[in-house]
């Protein structure tokens, strides 16, 4: 079963669901920046409290991402090589175009994730951030985020990536219901609206951070710019 087209689509759906839950959790954690420096830094400190668990989660997300991307590309290649009969051609072309754009948006998102890790997690792009500490001697994630998004180019890249993520999710979430057989002419509009709603919440939640920083609504501790 797992080697069949349906089986592969189920694996894509499951790995996509795991990644979606991670994205939602990540967003909720990051939104604590609106509560203040202590809230965000405390959250970040708790994440690093158990290194083994943290790296296990990161490894699990990496595996899910690799499997999800590889199988999505495989399915897209299968669709592009299909030779449908005339009356089916319109739907197959539509499905193939959708698959190709989803693969493209997924690859761009992957590139952004790598940059995001080098920027915020590994601090390769901005090694000076490693010296940031708050009044309690903790690594100052809050100030790092504010300083980063004060750069309009970094913020613009983040916003564009989130818009692509929203597009990717709006298609991917709706496709899950198609894969498991719940998508009928009657239920399709509901699932499409559900997918769009979830994608919109994630996009708005994530881009609210750089936008608020650029507008000066979220500032460095003490009100500094």
């Amino acid at each position: 079963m797992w080697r069949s087209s349906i089986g592969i689509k189920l694996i894509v759906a499951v790995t996509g669901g795991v990644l979606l839950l991670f994205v939602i959790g990540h967003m909720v954690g990051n939104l604590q920046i609106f509560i203040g420096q202590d809230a965000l830094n405390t959250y970040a400190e708790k994440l690093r409290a158990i290194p083994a668990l943290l790296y296990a989660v990161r490894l699990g997300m990496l595996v899910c991402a690799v499997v999800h991307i590889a199988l999505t590309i495989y399915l897209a290649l299968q669709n592009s090589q299909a030779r449908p009969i005339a009356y089916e051609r319109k739907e197959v072309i539509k499905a193939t175009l959708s698959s190709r754009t989803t693969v493209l948006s997924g690859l761009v998102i992957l590139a952004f994730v790598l940059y995001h890790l080098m920027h915020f997690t590994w601090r390769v792009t901005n090694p000076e951030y490693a010296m940031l500490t708050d009044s309690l001697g903790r690594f100052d994630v809050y100030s790092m985020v504010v300083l980063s998004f004060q750069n309009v180019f970094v913020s613009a890249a983040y916003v564009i990536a989130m818009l692509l993520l929203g597009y990717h999710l709006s298609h991917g979430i709706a496709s899950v219901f198609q894969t498991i057989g719940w998508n009928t002419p009657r239920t399709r509009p509901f699932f499409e609206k559900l997918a769009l709603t979830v994608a919109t919440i994630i996009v708005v939640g994530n881009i609210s951070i750089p936008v608020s920083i650029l507008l000066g609504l979220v500032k460095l501790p003490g009100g500094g710019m």
Side-chain angles (χ1 to χ4, degrees):
M1 171 186 174
W2 299 111
R3 294 184 180 181
S4 67
S5 178
I6 294 298
I8 292 174
K9 288 180 179 179
L10 283 174
I11 295 174
V12 170
V14 171
T15 53
V18 172
L19 293 171
L20 174 61
L21 291 176
F22 176 79
V23 167
I24 294 174
H26 190 61
M27 178 191 70
V28 171
N30 289 341
L31 286 175
Q32 293 185 64
I33 193 171
F34 292 109
I35 302 176
Q37 180 188 32
D38 182 65
L40 185 61
N41 288 352
T42 298
Y43 163 71
E45 187 178 44
K46 288 180 179 178
L47 287 181
R48 296 192 296 268
I50 308 177
L53 178 60
L54 177 61
Y55 283 102
V57 171
R58 287 176 176 173
L59 179 61
M61 291 304 101
L62 176 62
V63 171
C64 283
V66 170
V67 171
H68 186 79
I69 293 169
L71 293 184
T72 299
I73 293 174
Y74 174 77
L75 289 173
L77 291 174
Q78 277 195 326
N79 287 335
S80 66
Q81 294 170 358
R83 293 293 182 269
I85 58 178
Y87 71 88
E88 292 178 329
R89 187 169 184 81
K90 183 177 179 180
E91 287 301 315
V92 173
I93 289 176
K94 180 180 178 181
T96 302
L97 178 61
S98 178
S99 298
R100 285 176 175 173
T101 53
T102 300
V103 169
L104 179 60
S105 63
L107 290 175
V108 175
I109 292 167
L110 174 62
F112 171 77
V113 168
L114 292 174
Y115 166 74
H116 186 69
L117 289 170
M118 289 189 293
H119 187 183
F120 287 118
T121 303
W122 302 325
R123 293 182 284 279
V124 173
T125 60
N126 298 83
E128 67 274 15
Y129 290 163
M131 306 301 294
L132 294 172
T133 56
D134 63 12
S135 60
L136 298 178
R138 302 172 300 187
F139 177 65
D140 195 354
V141 175
Y142 178 93
S143 294
M144 178 180 68
V145 174
V146 173
L147 287 170
S148 296
F149 287 139
Q150 284 179 346
N151 184 317
V152 66
F153 297 108
V154 173
S155 288
Y158 191 85
V159 170
I160 291 171
M162 291 305 103
L163 291 174
L164 284 174
L165 176 62
Y167 169 79
H168 190 84
L169 290 176
S170 64
H171 168 75
I173 295 172
S175 298
V176 170
F177 298 106
Q178 175 72 32
T179 299
I180 61 181
W182 291 4
N183 212 351
T184 66
R186 178 176 296 181
T187 61
R188 183 178 294 112
F190 170 77
F191 289 134
E192 288 179 347
K193 289 180 181 178
L194 176 63
L196 181 60
T197 299
V198 173
T200 300
I201 290 173
I202 290 173
V203 170
V204 172
N206 280 321
I207 70 174
S208 67
I209 299 173
V211 170
S212 295
I213 291 172
L214 285 176
L215 293 176
L217 301 177
V218 176
K219 302 179 181 180
L220 290 171
M225 297 296 291

